[in-house]
Amino acid sequence: MKLKADSSEQKLRGAYYTPLPLAEMMIDLFKDEPTISSVLEPSCGDGVFVEGLIKTGVNNKLKNVTAIEIESEEAVILKEKTKQFQNIEVLNRDFFDYYQDNYKNKRFDLILGNPPYIRYQYLEEVQREVMSQILTSHGMKANKLVNTWVGFMVACIQMLSEHGKIAFVIPAEILQVAYAEDLRLFLSNSLSKITLITFEELVFPDIEQEIVVFIGEKGEQEKGIRIIELNNLDDLEAFDIESNGFQKMQHVHEKWTKYFTNDKENALVRQIKTDNHFQKFSDVALINVGITTGNNKYFSVNKEKVEQYELEKVVRPLIGRSSHAHSVYFKEEDWRKNVDKDKAAYLIDFPDIDLEKYPEKHIEYINQGETNEEHKGYKCSIRDRWYRIPSIWVPDAFFLRRNNLYPKFVLNCCNAVSTDTMHRIKFNDGIEPERVVLSYYNSISFAFTELCGRSYGGGVLEILPGEVGNIIVPKLDSVPIEKVREVLSRVDSIVRSDEDIEKALDIVDDEILVSILGIESKKCKDARNIWKKMQRRRLKRG
C-alpha cells in the first residue's frame, strides 16, 4: 500500500507492508473453501500473502497462484523464495498492463492483497490513462482525486470468477470520501456479500492512515453488508467473522459509515427523514465554504500588525479558527476578547482601486509579502492581483468545518467574516436566524451530523457544505420566538461556560422537541445514543 505519497522513494513505491498476522487472518478465512483453486495477488511487494498461503498450507490445495510485482528486486526475491512450488508464478510487471492483456479471459477464485495507494499526481501518464479506462468502462468517473487502490479494486473484481472472492487491505476512506462514491455503488452492485473489518488502533503505526479489511464475494443471492469492529491486531486471535449479521445494502452513493449503526437505528434514521416535523438544513439556508484567502497567515492579522501597517480601514472582524468560537452568539465583545488575546482576529480586505492609490504603509505590507514569496501559493498566484481576496461577504452564521466533540453553529452578531475553517451560512428570506440555530442543538441533529460528516486521523470530525445541508433539523415555526430566544440564551451560556453540551441537548430535547413539537422522548434518546456511539468510535481513534 502506498500511503501519504510524497517525494520520498519509499512513499512513491508504497513500501508499507502488511503485518503477517493480518495477512494470515485474511488467508485463514478461505482455507476451507472448496471452490478456490486459483489465486491472484496483484501487488505482492515482499510476498507476505504468498508466504502466508504456503505457511497455512492453503497453497497445497491450489492449482495456481499468480503474484504480480512492479519492482524487479522484490519480484526476484519472491521468485527465489517460491521456486520449489510449481503452482506459483511470480511476474515482474505493472498490474494495469497485466489487466489489459488478460481481463477478457483470465478469472480467479480468490484475489487478495494490499493494493498500492498512490495519489493521481504521482502516476505516470500511461498509468493514469489505463486507470481512467478501467473506471469509465464500469460507469465510474475518473478524476485527479482518485487513488490507484480504487483502480485496483475495480479491475480485480472484473477478474473474479463466477463465485469469486476478494480480500484487500485498503484505506478506511472507502467508507466516506466523496471520490469513492462511484466505487461504493459499483461494489454494492457487483458483490452479493461485503464484510468490512475495522481497527480502532492504527495497523500501520508509522503513518497516520486508518485501514479496513475489505472482503467481498460474488453470488446470485445478495446477503448484504456487515461491519466488524476490532481494537487492534491482537483481537485477530479470537476473531469471529460471523459475530455480526448482514444488513441490506443500499445501492446508492451514500457513505458506508451508516452501516456502523444497526437495523433498529437505521430504521429510526429513515423514519426521521420522512417525518414532517423535520427538514434538511439546506431547506432553510445556503451553506458556502468560508473565505479562501490562499494564505491565512498573511491575510489574517492581529491588532499589532494592523497598527504597524495602518490597516484599520481595510480590515474586517474575523472569526478565523475554531478556537475563536466560544459561544452560540458571536458578538462584538466576543470578537474584542479575541483581539485582546492577540489572536489573528482581523482579515485584510484591500480595496478595488489602483495600487498607486493605496497608502504607503499598505504598499509596504504588500511588498513585504512579495519579498517573502507569500504571493506564490497557487490560490494567490492565479488572481489578477494576488493581494485582493475574492468572494468576501458577511454571513448570517458560521458552522465549524472541523471539530472535536461536536460542531458549533454560531450566529454572526458583529458583521464578522471567516476563513475556510468555517462554513458561511446565509439564511433564506423570511427565516428567523435564531430559530435555525436553536434547531441544530438537539440529539437528533447531532446524530445526523456524525452520520453525514467524515472522521479523519486524530478523531476529528470534518463536515463539508453539502454534508451540512443533509443534516436533519426540526422545524421550529410553531415555537414562540420568545421561547426560542430564552432557550437559545441558555444554550449559549452552556457553550460559553464550556459545560457538557449534553446539558444543552437535554434542554432542547425536553422543552422544544418533546413538549412543544410532540416528538416522542424515546426518539430523542435513541438519537442521542446514535450520536454518542458514532462520536465515541471517532474519538477512540484520535
Side-chain angles (χ1 to χ4, degrees):
M1 186 191 298
K2 304 190 178 181
L3 300 167
K4 282 192 170 179
D6 62 12
S7 57
S8 74
E9 180 183 356
Q10 182 191 41
K11 290 179 180 178
L12 287 174
R13 290 179 53 236
Y16 299 97
Y17 300 117
T18 310
L20 182 60
L22 182 57
E24 289 181 345
M25 178 278 289
M26 292 167 64
I27 292 166
D28 198 52
L29 294 175
F30 306 103
K31 66 180 181 181
D32 297 323
E33 290 282 351
T35 59
I36 296 177
S37 63
S38 58
V39 175
L40 170 67
E41 214 288 55
S43 180
C44 61
D46 62 348
V48 66
F49 285 97
V50 176
E51 291 186 53
L53 289 170
I54 296 169
K55 184 177 178 180
T56 58
V58 172
N59 184 61
N60 298 331
K61 307 174 185 178
L62 302 175
K63 289 183 179 179
N64 60 78
V65 175
T66 302
I68 301 171
E69 175 51 45
I70 194 171
E71 295 295 329
S72 58
E73 291 182 8
E74 291 183 332
V76 168
I77 292 171
L78 188 57
K79 279 184 181 180
E80 182 64 24
K81 286 181 180 179
T82 59
K83 62 183 180 181
Q84 70 269 39
F85 299 97
Q86 299 299 312
N87 65 331
I88 298 178
E89 180 183 24
V90 180
L91 303 176
N92 176 212
R93 63 184 303 189
D94 187 322
F95 170 68
F96 285 158
D97 289 341
Y98 177 85
Y99 167 81
Q100 284 190 307
D101 292 342
N102 294 280
Y103 76 89
K104 291 183 179 178
N105 47 36
K106 282 262 189 182
R107 293 293 179 268
F108 295 89
D109 302 318
L110 173 63
I111 301 178
L112 79 170
N114 187 345
Y117 179 37
I118 313 174
R119 294 177 182 172
Y120 179 88
Q121 62 263 38
Y122 294 108
L123 295 175
E124 296 177 3
E125 188 59 38
V126 64
Q127 292 174 311
R128 294 177 183 178
E129 291 177 4
V130 172
M131 189 166 73
S132 177
Q133 290 171 7
I134 291 171
L135 299 180
T136 55
S137 67
H138 291 86
M140 301 168 62
K141 297 184 289 292
N143 58 52
K144 294 182 180 180
L145 296 176
V146 175
N147 269 276
T148 45
W149 65 269
V150 176
F152 265 68
M153 288 201 77
V154 174
C156 286
I157 284 173
Q158 184 175 357
M159 297 186 77
L160 286 176
S161 59
E162 186 177 1
H163 295 279
K165 300 168 178 62
I166 183 170
F168 269 5
V169 179
I170 57 173
E173 293 177 355
I174 190 173
L175 298 168
Q176 56 193 14
V177 295
Y179 79 72
E181 281 184 348
D182 286 350
L183 176 64
R184 291 192 289 269
L185 180 59
F186 170 78
L187 294 172
S188 63
N189 289 339
S190 302
L191 301 169
S192 62
K193 293 167 61 177
I194 293 174
T195 300
L196 297 165
I197 303 170
T198 71
F199 299 87
E200 289 183 356
E201 296 178 13
L202 292 174
V203 172
F204 298 91
D206 296 334
I207 46 175
E208 291 294 324
Q209 178 64 51
E210 185 187 353
I211 62 98
V212 299
V213 175
F214 177 94
I215 301 164
E217 298 183 29
K218 280 191 171 181
E220 292 91 5
Q221 185 174 1
E222 181 178 304
K223 287 198 173 180
I225 186 170
R226 62 185 171 185
I227 295 180
I228 299 169
E229 299 180 79
L230 305 181
N231 291 313
N232 50 42
L233 292 178
D234 293 339
D235 285 357
L236 294 176
E237 295 182 11
F239 169 66
D240 178 13
I241 196 170
E242 303 302 334
S243 59
N244 281 13
F246 287 95
Q247 297 186 45
K248 181 177 176 58
M249 273 191 282
Q250 305 293 316
H251 294 260
V252 293
H253 287 102
E254 289 182 1
K255 299 174 186 178
W256 281 355
T257 46
K258 65 183 179 180
Y259 295 118
F260 283 105
T261 50
N262 58 41
D263 287 339
K264 184 179 177 182
E265 291 165 335
N266 290 334
L268 174 63
V269 169
R270 290 192 296 271
Q271 186 182 33
I272 290 171
K273 283 183 176 180
T274 58
D275 189 330
N276 289 331
H277 287 102
F278 298 92
Q279 61 193 341
K280 284 187 176 182
F281 198 119
S282 58
D283 292 335
V284 294
L286 169 72
I287 306 109
N288 206 325
V289 293
I291 297 166
T292 304
T293 68
N295 188 328
N296 285 348
K297 187 177 179 181
Y298 179 81
F299 291 105
S300 304
V301 294
N302 61 11
K303 184 179 180 180
E304 180 183 0
K305 192 154 286 185
V306 169
E307 293 174 348
Q308 179 183 353
Y309 291 97
E310 300 175 3
L311 297 168
E312 290 86 352
K313 293 184 178 180
V314 294
V315 289
R316 292 172 178 262
L318 174 69
I319 180 168
R321 303 172 64 87
S322 59
S323 61
H324 293 191
H326 298 290
S327 58
V328 172
Y329 292 98
F330 188 66
K331 302 176 181 179
E332 175 85 12
E333 52 262 39
D334 297 311
W335 174 69
R336 288 288 176 193
K337 286 179 183 177
N338 290 335
V339 171
D340 293 341
K341 290 178 181 178
D342 200 35
K343 294 183 177 181
Y346 298 88
L347 183 76
I348 299 174
D349 182 15
F350 285 123
D352 186 15
I353 59 175
D354 293 338
L355 182 61
E356 295 77 24
K357 296 179 181 178
Y358 278 31
E360 181 180 335
K361 282 288 187 179
H362 296 187
I363 294 174
E364 180 184 342
Y365 188 69
I366 293 169
N367 289 339
Q368 183 195 65
E370 292 178 355
T371 300
N372 296 335
E373 298 188 343
E374 308 285 4
H375 63 305
K376 290 191 174 181
Y378 176 71
K379 294 290 186 181
C380 291
S381 66
I382 61 175
R383 296 174 187 156
D384 292 336
R385 290 189 282 174
W386 73 271
Y387 49 85
R388 289 206 70 245
I389 302 171
S391 187
I392 294 179
W393 48 272
V394 176
D396 298 321
F398 307 101
F399 197 99
L400 272 65
R401 174 181 173 182
R402 288 182 177 168
N403 312 272
N404 181 25
L405 297 177
Y406 67 95
K408 290 189 179 76
F409 187 13
V410 183
L411 201 56
N412 187 7
C413 303
C414 61
N415 291 317
V417 294
S418 71
T419 63
D420 54 6
T421 59
M422 300 189 186
H423 302 315
R424 295 179 285 183
I425 309 297
K426 189 73 174 176
F427 297 117
N428 296 345
D429 291 342
I431 296 292
E432 292 173 293
E434 287 164 306
R435 289 191 192 277
V436 183
V437 175
L438 181 62
S439 76
Y440 174 68
Y441 288 94
N442 66 86
S443 295
I444 290 171
S445 298
F446 269 41
F448 274 91
T449 302
E450 290 285 343
L451 293 170
C452 292
R454 73 271 307 276
S455 61
Y456 285 113
V460 172
L461 173 70
E462 179 176 64
I463 186 157
L464 302 181
E467 296 163 344
V468 175
N470 286 326
I471 295 173
I472 300 297
V473 295
K475 299 175 183 176
L476 304 189
D477 299 344
S478 62
V479 182
I481 192 62
E482 294 79 14
K483 181 64 175 178
V484 168
R485 289 169 179 160
E486 184 265 329
V487 173
L488 189 58
S489 177
R490 289 154 65 193
V491 172
D492 180 60
S493 178
I494 291 168
V495 174
R496 286 180 184 277
S497 304
D498 199 25
E499 297 180 62
D500 187 343
I501 193 62
E502 289 197 66
K503 291 184 178 180
L505 301 187
D506 288 341
I507 292 169
V508 180
D509 287 355
D510 295 341
E511 297 188 21
I512 302 297
L513 272 65
V514 176
S515 297
I516 297 180
L517 301 185
I519 294 166
E520 294 177 40
S521 177
K522 187 176 185 305
K523 282 187 180 179
C524 295
K525 290 177 182 177
D526 290 344
R528 179 84 62 94
N529 289 335
I530 293 174
W531 170 59
K532 296 295 289 182
K533 174 181 180 178
M534 299 295 287
Q535 183 204 52
R536 277 195 301 269
R537 179 185 178 276
R538 171 172 58 82
L539 293 176
K540 283 177 76 173
R541 300 199 313 280

